[in-house]
Structures are given as structure tokens and as C-alpha cells.
Amino acid sequence: MREALLDHAEALLSQHGFHGVTVRQVASAAHVDPALVHYYFDTKSKLFDAVFLRRAEIVNAERIAAMETYRQAAGSDIQIEGCIEAFLEPIVRHSVQGDVGWKNYFRLVALVNSSSGWGGETMARYFDPVIRKLVQLLRLCMPQASDENLFWCYHFLSGALTLSLSETGRIDRLSEGLCTSTDHLAIYHRLVPFAAAGFRRVCLHGGAPDNAP
Amino acid sequence: MREALLDHAEALLSQHGFHGVTVRQVASAAHVDPALVHYYFDTKSKLFDAVFLRRAEIVNAERIAAMETYRQAAGSDIQIEGCIEAFLEPIVRHSVQGDVGWKNYFRLVALVNSSSGWGGETMARYFDPVIRKLVQLLRLCMPQASDENLFWCYHFLSGALTLSLSETGRIDRLSEGLCTSTDHLAIYHRLVPFAAAGFRRVCLHGGAPDNAP
DNA sequence: GTCTATAACTGGATAGAC
DNA sequence: GTCTATCCAGTTATAGAC
């Protein structure tokens, strides 16, 4: 029952945000009484935290493991592409497997990530350790890079990723059906080289074009 | 009065989203009666639309003009960097001038852009013409590029841009003060080369690394 | 654990005085 | 144009029966 409530809360919150969903709606979606929500989670706010935490722990562990595995496999030949792949792979895998729960969760993360009020703090609380690990790994293949450039480039990657995960249907309309918001494999195969090229350009060549004289 | 209401609504909506702000809060912030909000804008929903539309018209016209100017100045030597610069310049200019109204507005746009429910439709309604113009311009310097790749790369640029505009304070914390969310000039000087390199890699080299054999 | 009932409050919206 | 007063639907949350 607790899990079912989390599932429905996750789906609704990811579409309408914290203030756009009522406890009654969550209860109704799970076909239970609203009072049960308070029984299990006390307050609406704690329900939100529970939703956010549940999958964060799982995906964070997977990402840490994927990056560690790559670091050891690559030895001294660490590539930017490999770091970003390891960072993204667990997310994409869950999405591509078609698990609707995971898709809802990633939409929620995307929404929180661009909420200026409490978004920054919430994201930091749950995800900063993983990101520090990525930056640390990227420093290994770009020892010349300044921390400032590394953090900004990560920031751009984060924005590109979270917009993709939010599946707003925007690109579908824009491309008149040529691209599909939910096609996370298409995203993965383009975002890795896109971001890697961006990192390389900004962090290694100081912003000068690759084809500069 | 109408303008004052729009200003306060803009500030509040950009921080808490549509459902996180009440008509009463907007009225209170502007030191007027709640009934006045309904007098001027009829419904809360129409107030939101008015906020969104007000600056969209201005910035869209500026972006169209900037891209047209660049196209004519560049002649047959159109560069990816130049296209992206023209696309971003009006936004960055308003932000850098320190106008708090514009900053609030861009935060609101960022929030809407990653709202899965109505976000996609709302953004499309207001901003698609400008984006089509950018893609059209980019096609001129990358005639080999597939539309699919062009749209996906724009999508990544859009995500990186809107996360930056949302000023969540996330990068400040992450970088321990080295980078500042509100430093839109730092963003501009890095996002242009970052995105240009990404476009070049994905659209021209099909995802293969620049340093590939 | 689950539900009924209800408290205590806040939301958007409107009618009508001035 | 602006404010008072108010309607009423909907909100979180709780006390207590079963």
C-alpha cells in the first residue's frame, strides 16, 4: 500500500509539481482514503521527500558504481566520453527499459532541478555526491582544466539532461514528429558526444573553435 | 497599476510556479485588493498568460532581428558560433543589465520549459517561431546536417540555457562559491563555445570524437 | 490498518457599494 | 477604478470508530 501510494504520488507530482497535486488526488488515484496518506507519511511534504528519496538512493549507487568501474577499466586512458557515459548510463537504462515509474521519477527530478525556490537545495541534498564524483573523474582526463570551467560545463550537461528527461513533448512538436521526447536512446547517443565536445572545447581549448587557425 | 500587478505576479510565479502562488499573494505584494486582480485580468490563468506574453513579444522580436542582422553581416561565411550568439545575445543583455524584472521572467520561462504537463504547449505557443528561425540559420552553415540532429542539439542548448536562467543557486553550492548562478556573462562566454562544439560534433561528424583517427 | 466525520482554514471568484 | 463583504468549493490535517 505504501509503495502504491508512492507510485501514484510520483506520477502526479512529476506532472503538476508539489503545489499542483493534492493529498486527495493521490489517495483517489491509489483508491484509498486520504487519511491513509497521513497515516503513512504524516504530512504532504514528507510524502514528497519519500518519493524523491526512494529512487535517488538506487540510481546514485548505480552511478557511483558505473563511474568507478569505468575508471578502473580505462586505467590511464580515461576519456571524457567514457566519464559522461558512465554518469548517464544508469539513468538511460531505467528509462529505456520502459519502466513508467522511473520515467515519472526522472520527470520529477527535472522539474525540481529548475525550480528556483527550493529546487537548488533539494537537488544538492540528494545528488551532489554523485556530481562531485563525476567532476573528479573528468579532472583526471583534463588536468589542465580550471574548476570554474568544469563546473559550468557540468551545469550545461545537467540542463540538457534534465530537459530531456522531462519529456515535455516540445521537441516532437518543434520537429513535426521527426524527434520523440520519450526516445531516450536517441538522446543518449547524441548527448554524450554533444557534451563531450563541449567540455573539450571549453575546458581544453579555452573556448576557441576546434577549426581555429 | 496593471503593470505593477504584472511585475509582482512575475516575481512570485517565477519562484513558486502557477500553483504555488495565490491571487491574494500577488495583490498583497502590490498593496492592492485581491478583487483588482480579477478586475484587470479576469482569472488567475489569464494573469499568468499576460505575464508570459508581455516580455515574450519583446525578446522574440529582438532575437529575430539579431539573427537577421548576423545573417546579413556574415554573408556566405556563416558560423555556428555567430548563430548561437545572435540567438542568445538579447536574453543575456537584459539579464546582464541587472533588470530584476527580466531576470524573474527568464526564471519563469525556465520553469515552464521543464514542466511536463502544460509546459511544452505553452512554450511552443510563444517561442517556436524564433527557434525555427535559429534552426533555419544553422542549416545554412551545416547543410549536411540531418534535421533530427539539428533539433536534438537545439534541445540540448535549450536545456543548458534554461537551467542557467533559472538561477537555482545550485552551481554556487556545488562549486563552493567559485561559480555564481547569477553571473550570466560567465554563462554566455562558455555556453556559446560549448554548444557550438556540440553542434559541430553531432551534426557534422556524426558523433565521432574530434580527435578520432 | 482502514475509514467516517469534521475541524480549521484557504482558494478563486463575484456582487455591489462608493 | 477601487474596496467591502461574502459565497462556496476545496485544502491539510486530526480525532476517533471499527
Side-chain angles (χ1 to χ4, degrees), chain A residues 22-24 35 38 43-44:
Chain A
T22 67
V23 172
R24 290 164 132 90
H38 290 101
T43 65
K44 181 185 174 183

Side-chain angles (χ1 to χ4, degrees), chain A residues 26-93:
Chain A
V26 174
S28 168
H31 301 289
V32 297
D33 193 273
L36 260 194
V37 178
H38 290 101
Y39 172 75
Y40 280 115
F41 302 100
D42 195 11
T43 65
K44 181 185 174 183
S45 182
K46 286 181 187 169
L47 166 64
F48 180 89
D49 284 343
V51 167
F52 211 81
L53 181 62
R54 179 171 60 153
R55 300 192 199 260
E57 287 177 329
I58 299 170
V59 77
N60 277 352
E62 290 174 352
R63 293 165 99 183
I64 295 274
M67 285 190 279
E68 188 54 35
T69 300
Y70 174 70
R71 198 186 62 77
Q72 290 185 359
S76 63
D77 186 35
I78 301 184
Q79 293 292 318
I80 305 173
E81 280 78 2
C83 302
I84 298 176
E85 266 175 19
F87 182 74
L88 298 182
E89 189 273 330
I91 294 179
V92 173
R93 178 166 35 82

Side-chain angles (χ1 to χ4, degrees), chain B residues 62-75:
Chain B
E62 291 174 351
R63 292 165 99 184
I64 296 274
M67 285 190 279
E68 189 53 39
T69 300
Y70 174 71
R71 199 187 62 77
Q72 291 185 359

Side-chain angles (χ1 to χ4, degrees), chain A residues 11 17 27 53 66 84 90 102 117 129 137 149 152 175 187 200 202 207:
Chain A
L53 181 62
I84 298 176
W102 276 104
L137 206 59
N149 281 336
W152 275 120
S175 69
I187 294 166
R200 199 165 276 130
V202 172

Side-chain angles (χ1 to χ4, degrees), chain A residues 107-161:
Chain A
R107 278 218 305 270
L108 179 61
V109 172
L111 188 59
V112 172
N113 196 35
S114 55
S115 298
S116 55
W118 40 286
E121 200 200 342
T122 309
M123 286 296 291
R125 205 148 29 99
Y126 291 98
F127 291 113
D128 266 11
V130 176
I131 295 158
R132 289 186 193 286
K133 180 91 181 171
L134 171 67
V135 172
Q136 201 181 318
L137 206 59
L138 286 167
R139 246 195 293 262
L140 288 180
C141 36
M142 294 180 283
Q144 324 92 303
S146 72
D147 277 9
E148 224 178 326
N149 281 336
L150 279 171
F151 282 119
W152 275 120
C153 287
Y154 162 73
H155 196 252
F156 299 150
L157 168 59
S158 171
L161 173 65

